[in-house]
Amino acid sequence: MNSQDLNLSRRTILKTAAAAGAVGAVPGLQSAVWAAGSDKPELEEVKIGFIPLTDCASVVMASVLGLDKKYGIKIIPSKEASWAGVRDKLVNGDLHMAHVLYGLVYGVQMGIGGPKKDMAVLMTLNNNGQAITLSKALADKKAVDGASLAKLMNTEKREYTFAQTFPTGTHAMWLYYWLATYGINPMKDAKVITVPPPQMVANMRVGNMDGFCVGEPWNHRAIMDGIGITAATTQDIWQDHPEKVLGCTDEFTKKYPNTARAVIMAILEASKWIDAGLQNKLKMAETIAAKSYVNTGVDAINQRILGRYQNGLGKTWDDPNHMKFFNDGKVNFPYLSDGMWFMTQHKRWGLLKDHPDYQAIAKQVNKIDLYKQAASAVGAAIPKDVMRTSKLIDGTVWDGKDPKKYADSFKLKA
């Protein structure tokens, strides 16, 4: 390298660092060099699909704050109408990547809930922050939580309808798990329908459902509109549960590994930025409330991201386990046990007929090496273990050690 080249690359690094500093990010020379050398991203523009939900924030903010530029890419957020649409566009290549339901990626991988294709989870985007909403009509009959809902369904026999957002997705699994915990079999005792997140509130308003499980801000919106109450948060079901991921096809990671790494780095930095403090969270809420993103009032978003909850019946509380985007890197690591859990529930509810090789599939889908390279480049902490242990609402412990036994252990199953 001659002195002119040296000056040039040094200038690029300084400019990159300055640009990063300007958006309140964490400037790092290491990452700037990363994007400039042989690891230059193969694609300059990356189209990332998202659904209008609070947890699309790290993808949107990586673009809005210009953190993507720092890593030699331009993220183009693409607003999508439904999870089925996101799935189809990922599979056929109309989208490079997406903010997507963890269980959807595994559904496609296993050929359930749509076409079969090898998929990739690049990182987890958030933990917590979804909820189960029951209609005001049910609340008026004293069904305000799992136990009282079960009681009402036993005494007042009729068809009860609950909505989730995608058959193999996270909301379906939280809903089923929660109902089953209170002795309600979601496959036999209720009718379950699929509704895109932004359409949940409107559908409940016209009486199409008794309850739904969805991401924010749509649970809080139902309270603001006086049509629903929060019966449970998903962090009540599983504290720090995995939720949305950055997903793409396996083929994409093989063809464009540098691009994949650059996107992870930019989104990691955006995640860290969001979780850094109150001001950033409020700026994020203001940004994503806009028509081009979530399209709702900022007041529907800004309470619950700070952990300020109300149930719509006069109860308020501060929840320390609110939606988290970074949490010192603990959120973003693509734990194998997280991916495996969704398959155990797909098996439990009859979506998978046989036990898959849980761990082998999770190792194939969750791109742990790629994630570790990106995380170490931006200085995000990396957990020592690829598995984690959690206790769920019904008292069962999930640690990924014996997925077959775990999947078969539930009293209520398909």
Side-chain angles (χ1 to χ4, degrees):
M1 203 187 252
N2 62 34
S3 61
Q4 201 179 352
D5 288 345
L6 263 172
N7 280 338
L8 247 175
S9 61
R10 188 167 169 271
R11 205 158 60 231
T12 312
I13 289 167
L14 290 174
K15 258 167 71 182
T16 312
V23 294
V26 194
L29 293 186
Q30 194 179 1
S31 44
V33 176
W34 188 286
S38 58
D39 290 317
K40 185 179 190 295
E42 304 87 353
L43 298 177
E44 281 176 17
E45 292 193 345
V46 188
K47 192 175 178 187
I48 306 184
F50 72 92
I51 290 281
L53 289 159
T54 303
D55 52 30
C56 74
S58 55
V59 171
V60 170
M61 296 315 291
S63 162
V64 171
L65 295 171
L67 296 169
D68 47 359
K69 291 190 195 78
K70 183 175 167 181
Y71 300 105
I73 48 164
K74 182 175 168 33
I75 289 174
I76 299 169
S78 173
K79 186 172 173 171
E80 304 299 329
S82 70
W83 290 121
V86 168
R87 173 202 60 200
D88 295 345
K89 288 182 178 185
L90 271 180
V91 168
N92 70 24
D94 284 350
L95 290 171
H96 293 125
M97 297 179 180
H99 148 260
V100 66
L101 300 161
Y102 217 132
L104 182 152
V105 175
Y106 273 82
V108 175
Q109 178 71 29
M110 305 305 291
I112 53 174
K116 182 173 167 54
K117 195 173 176 91
D118 285 341
M119 298 299 285
V121 165
L122 298 177
M123 66 188 287
T124 306
L125 295 175
N126 69 297
N127 288 168
N128 307 328
Q130 324 295 296
I132 291 169
T133 292
L134 294 179
S135 71
K136 213 61 199 260
L138 283 190
D140 290 343
K141 294 187 170 179
K142 304 284 183 280
V144 295
D145 56 18
S148 51
L149 173 67
K151 195 176 160 190
L152 180 71
M153 286 175 74
N154 274 329
T155 51
E156 225 175 89
K157 301 280 187 199
R158 63 170 175 86
E159 186 175 66
Y160 288 82
T161 303
F162 298 96
Q164 38 75 10
T165 64
F166 189 80
T168 64
T170 52
H171 303 114
M173 298 309 121
W174 311 139
L175 177 67
Y176 299 170
Y177 204 99
W178 182 75
L179 290 170
T181 298
Y182 296 98
I184 302 163
N185 187 326
M187 302 298 154
K188 293 181 183 144
D189 305 334
K191 181 184 173 192
V192 178
I193 60 173
T194 303
V195 174
Q199 292 169 31
M200 284 292 186
V201 177
N203 272 279
M204 185 172 267
R205 187 179 286 114
V206 296
N208 286 348
M209 73 221 359
D210 294 289
F212 60 69
C213 182
V214 74
E216 295 303 339
W218 306 116
N219 301 287
H220 190 66
R221 184 81 250 174
I223 291 174
M224 289 170 71
D225 293 359
I227 62 157
I229 61 124
T230 294
T233 66
T234 50
Q235 52 268 30
D236 292 337
I237 299 168
W238 175 356
Q239 187 183 317
D240 293 336
H241 67 79
E243 182 49 45
K244 304 302 185 300
V245 293
L246 182 64
C248 63
T249 60
D250 184 54
E251 190 186 353
F252 185 92
T253 66
K254 290 189 168 76
K255 208 169 165 187
Y256 309 113
N258 298 346
T259 307
R261 210 181 292 118
V263 175
I264 298 169
M265 286 152 79
I267 293 177
L268 267 176
E269 225 173 286
S271 307
K272 186 174 185 173
W273 180 88
I274 293 166
D275 274 10
L278 179 74
Q279 287 320 107
N280 291 8
K281 285 200 173 104
L282 295 175
K283 184 177 189 316
M284 173 271 272
E286 232 167 78
T287 305
I288 68 165
K291 200 171 178 184
S292 49
Y293 303 118
V294 181
N295 190 23
T296 190
V298 71
D299 47 352
I301 300 172
N302 62 16
Q303 294 304 300
R304 289 191 171 187
I305 54 165
L306 302 172
R308 293 174 192 153
Y309 277 79
Q310 49 171 291
N311 71 346
L313 294 162
K315 182 188 166 194
T316 60
W317 71 99
D318 280 324
D319 190 340
N321 305 308
H322 54 78
M323 189 182 288
K324 297 196 169 95
F325 291 89
F326 186 66
N327 196 14
D328 298 327
K330 291 199 255 314
V331 167
N332 313 104
F333 189 79
Y335 292 96
L336 293 185
S337 54
D338 287 358
M340 289 160 67
W341 186 86
F342 288 101
M343 288 186 284
T344 68
Q345 298 308 298
H346 294 160
K347 175 70 179 76
R348 176 186 182 181
W349 300 117
L351 296 163
L352 284 171
K353 299 293 167 251
D354 304 300
H355 286 288
D357 186 338
Y358 293 95
Q359 197 170 340
I361 291 162
K363 275 183 175 161
Q364 192 190 330
V365 176
N366 290 22
K367 304 299 178 193
I368 286 177
D369 288 345
L370 206 56
Y371 176 81
K372 281 181 172 174
Q373 291 160 6
S376 57
V378 297
I382 297 166
K384 286 181 178 63
D385 201 344
V386 294
M387 302 282 198
R388 59 180 181 139
T389 302
S390 312
K391 191 177 188 177
L392 276 74
I393 190 173
D394 57 357
T396 59
V397 172
W398 167 243
D399 58 13
K401 288 198 178 84
D402 195 342
K404 194 166 177 278
K405 185 180 167 192
Y406 177 82
D408 289 340
S409 72
F410 295 98
K411 199 169 75 195
L412 274 191
K413 48 181 184 251

